[in-house]
Amino acid sequence: MGSSHRQHLLPILGLLVLAGTALSGVQEVHNVLELTGHTVNKLKFSTDVATDKYTPPEEMDPQFWYNIADEEIAKRLALPQPNAQKAKNIILFLGDGMPLATVAAARILKGQREGKTGEESSLSFERFPYTGLSRTYCTNAQVPDSACTATAYLCGVKTNIVNIGVSAAVEYNNCTASQDPANRLTSIAEWAQNSGKSTGIVTTTTLTHASPSGAYAKTANRMWESDTDVTSYGEDASTCIDMATQLVTQTPGKNFEVMFGGGMGKFLPKSIEDSHGKPGERSDGVNLLSRWQGLHDGGVLVTNREQLLSVNVSAVSSIIGLFQSSLMDFHHDADATYQPTLSELTEVAIKKLSQNENGYFVFIEGGLIDYGNHYTKAGYALDEALEFEKAIQLARDITDIEDTLIVVTADHGHAVSIAGYPGRGTPILGINQHDTDINGVKYSVLNYAAGPNQYLDENGQRVPLDDIIGSDDAITPSYIPKDQGVHSGEDVGIFASGPQSHLFTGVMQQSTIPHLMAYAACVGNGKQVCDN
């Protein structure tokens, strides 16, 4: 069953999955009908735009966002500049669905795993010298998704929710508009390639998922990952090119030297079983991995940890790694001998890309933080965040702070809170022992606004949670009954280290981030530190 078909089952399937029914692997949770507002009055797919979200007309022009970026850069350059260093390399780490509440909770869990009270601990990227805030709203969305945000922090332009790599002049599911050259955007990955740099993407989701796709794809629907997905949304897959095909055959995707993630099924026809024992998802009969191999003499495909760690990066031209049929497994559940960690993916990617004397740009995503929060399994979300911070520490350790800019941020938040006056050292995944509700029942330290379990008795009263939560895989309580947790709209953090990292301070539009990175590395057509 393709991911788009699963979308129509989510209101039912989501409840089963999130309640713990035994379904293998991490299940897709993003429903584009919900994200676009089409589920309010309609249960089935429709092109009726009665419930479409409003987009301010001036924000449909990409230049609007370029102008804001120019203004925000100019304000920062008007301040005293600590240095004039150029960034040879850029590493963008993206914690998907990682609000500041998750950052703080992960920090506490890290310390508590080390036997401390936890609150005094720090994550690797929290020790970076410069921090700022990113405004995450999209052109028609107060609370965004990972598609429009990826377009912002990778292409430098805000767009409509569910869009990737196209301007806000493109409406949801409008393939014709997405193919209009006036509406198509370029990413910092392409700017880097045009400057002679190597490029790569790394994710724990799928290579065709919304976040990494911002580096290469142009689409009016984030779910068009394969031709089967395109067809399921009523479009002609022969003219509306799916994202897997874009990655393999179009610029800039075809020029990536490193591509690590899950989603092998999106690249293979249904008639072929992939390396993980599941059939491919494509209906067009095309084997995109064979096509990729034909386009990359000296390129190598790896599908498990052993193969990844045995690659001689000096002897291959490029590497594509597909470590699960669909989404990669949560680190908590993964077979550590089979699925590589994000740190291992990061190390191999940097070693390969750093062979280019002109430098590199690489996007590295901790993509399953978001899924842990959607499942309202805070333990999973925090564990993924800690794997993310380990990869960042490794990257800082094996690169030169004098020539490598590392930027860490999130695409959007999640509606999770740490509240209620718990004392120091209270288990972050446990019960607040220092407060009760009005009925005298203690409550959890972490809570979600929406989710599948409110833990109420037959009279609608909260039940004691002492024997229910506390484990990493427990479902954290929520207030609004919903099949899954939802994104939030507050600003997210930016953390920077390396050349020009001092520019990543204050509050900025999310779409300014790639322009600042481009300024630091002297790529793209905007302002550059090299101009000075």
Side-chain angles (χ1 to χ4, degrees):
M1 182 181 291
S3 61
S4 297
H5 287 105
R6 286 198 300 270
Q7 291 299 322
H8 302 294
L9 298 176
L10 270 177
I12 300 171
L13 235 186
L15 287 170
L16 297 177
V17 173
L18 303 184
T21 296
L23 292 174
S24 63
V26 183
Q27 303 298 308
E28 182 54 77
V29 296
H30 299 95
N31 183 340
V32 296
L33 301 184
E34 177 183 39
L35 293 170
T36 55
H38 285 78
T39 54
V40 176
N41 299 314
K42 294 182 282 293
L43 293 177
K44 297 181 179 179
F45 169 72
S46 169
T47 55
D48 177 15
V49 296
T51 58
D52 273 4
K53 299 177 176 181
Y54 170 72
T55 303
E58 66 274 13
E59 296 185 11
M60 296 181 183
D61 183 357
Q63 191 60 44
F64 177 88
W65 301 104
Y66 270 66
N67 291 343
I68 287 179
D70 286 343
E71 293 169 7
E72 293 192 334
I73 293 173
K75 288 178 184 177
R76 286 161 175 80
L77 295 181
L79 301 172
Q81 300 298 298
N83 65 70
Q85 291 173 292
K86 171 188 174 182
K88 175 183 177 182
N89 312 308
I90 311 171
I91 305 175
L92 175 58
F93 276 99
L94 192 283
D96 197 305
M98 186 180 72
L100 291 176
T102 291
V103 172
R107 169 205 309 154
I108 294 170
L109 180 61
K110 179 183 180 181
Q112 292 180 347
R113 285 181 173 181
E114 296 170 348
K116 305 172 185 175
T117 50
E119 296 82 5
E120 69 286 348
S121 296
S122 294
L123 302 178
S124 58
F125 55 88
E126 292 182 301
R127 295 189 290 270
F128 282 7
Y130 296 100
T131 58
L133 292 171
S134 166
R135 303 174 66 182
T136 63
Y137 71 90
C138 288
T139 50
N140 68 343
Q142 192 172 75
V143 176
D145 77 326
S146 295
C148 61
T149 51
T151 306
Y153 63 74
L154 287 167
C155 301
V157 173
K158 292 202 175 193
T159 189
N160 294 330
I161 199 165
V162 178
N163 278 359
I164 300 174
V166 294
S167 75
V170 178
E171 295 179 349
Y172 163 62
N173 226 62
N174 190 327
C175 182
T176 302
S178 72
Q179 296 186 340
D180 184 339
N183 298 332
R184 292 165 75 86
L185 308 173
T186 56
S187 75
I188 190 170
E190 187 166 348
W191 309 342
Q193 288 177 8
N194 291 340
S195 297
K197 296 184 184 295
S198 293
T199 52
I201 54 174
V202 177
T203 181
T204 50
T205 60
T206 65
L207 289 182
T208 50
H209 215 258
S211 301
S213 296
Y216 67 86
K218 298 163 179 57
T219 181
N221 186 339
R222 60 178 284 174
M223 299 312 299
W224 291 345
E225 297 183 58
S226 73
D227 68 308
T228 305
D229 300 326
V230 174
T231 302
S232 73
Y233 279 88
E235 293 293 325
D236 181 357
S238 65
T239 58
C240 195
I241 308 303
D242 64 271
M243 292 190 286
T245 300
Q246 290 185 43
L247 177 57
V248 170
T249 67
Q250 296 184 0
T251 300
K254 67 179 183 180
N255 299 321
F256 289 157
E257 292 182 19
V258 171
M259 297 180 285
F260 292 158
M264 195 171 193
K266 302 297 183 184
F267 297 87
L268 296 175
K270 296 176 179 178
S271 58
I272 293 180
E273 185 177 280
D274 69 18
S275 301
H276 311 290
K278 295 183 180 179
E281 297 183 34
R282 302 193 66 83
S283 302
D284 57 9
V286 175
N287 184 332
L288 285 173
L289 297 182
S290 293
R291 182 171 292 183
W292 179 85
Q293 189 69 71
L295 295 170
H296 295 82
D297 186 29
V300 62
L301 166 68
V302 295
T303 60
N304 59 51
R305 180 176 184 268
E306 181 181 5
Q307 292 175 2
L308 173 78
L309 299 183
S310 66
V311 171
N312 179 353
V313 295
S314 300
V316 299
S317 64
S318 48
I319 318 170
I320 183 170
L322 289 160
F323 302 103
Q324 294 292 347
S325 301
S326 184
L327 298 153
M328 289 178 67
D329 290 337
F330 284 116
H331 169 257
H332 183 278
D333 297 337
D335 179 348
T337 66
Y338 184 78
Q339 178 176 291
T341 64
L342 184 59
S343 292
E344 290 167 338
L345 296 173
T346 296
E347 183 169 13
V348 175
I350 291 174
K351 285 181 176 178
K352 173 57 189 168
L353 296 172
S354 61
Q355 294 179 309
N356 186 341
E357 62 183 15
N358 293 321
Y360 58 84
F361 167 80
V362 62
F363 170 82
I364 303 175
E365 181 192 23
L368 298 181
I369 302 170
D370 180 61
Y371 280 78
N373 280 324
H374 273 298
Y375 281 29
T376 63
K377 291 187 175 183
Y380 277 26
L382 301 188
D383 186 65
E384 291 296 320
L386 292 180
E387 286 301 297
F388 181 63
E389 73 104 21
K390 289 177 188 175
I392 295 165
Q393 182 66 63
L394 181 145
R396 189 68 286 174
D397 289 343
I398 67 174
T399 57
D400 188 346
I401 198 170
E402 296 296 320
D403 69 9
T404 302
L405 171 65
I406 299 181
V407 178
V408 180
T409 190
D411 50 353
H412 56 76
H414 261 272
V416 60
S417 65
I418 312 171
Y421 318 110
R424 279 292 296 274
T426 300
I428 192 64
L429 297 176
I431 306 297
N432 178 2
Q433 299 295 335
H434 300 94
D435 196 23
T436 68
D437 66 13
I438 59 174
N439 295 317
V441 179
K442 294 175 182 177
Y443 53 91
S444 59
V445 176
L446 297 176
N447 292 275
Y448 288 88
N453 208 325
Q454 288 67 55
Y455 294 106
L456 305 177
D457 63 20
E458 62 275 9
N459 298 316
Q461 299 297 313
R462 292 181 53 256
V463 299
L465 298 172
D466 303 79
D467 299 324
I468 298 176
I469 70 167
S471 63
D472 286 350
D473 62 350
I475 295 177
T476 306
S478 52
Y479 160 58
I480 300 166
K482 202 167 167 59
D483 63 331
Q484 57 176 271
V486 295
H487 297 175
S488 59
E490 77 276 16
D491 298 352
V492 296
I494 309 172
F495 309 82
S497 168
Q500 303 301 310
S501 55
H502 61 275
L503 299 176
F504 292 84
T505 56
V507 181
M508 70 183 72
Q509 291 289 4
Q510 191 170 50
S511 50
T512 296
I513 292 173
H515 297 288
L516 286 173
M517 293 189 293
Y519 173 86
C522 300
V523 300
N525 297 320
K527 295 178 182 178
Q528 300 180 0
V529 68
C530 298
D531 298 337
N532 302 329

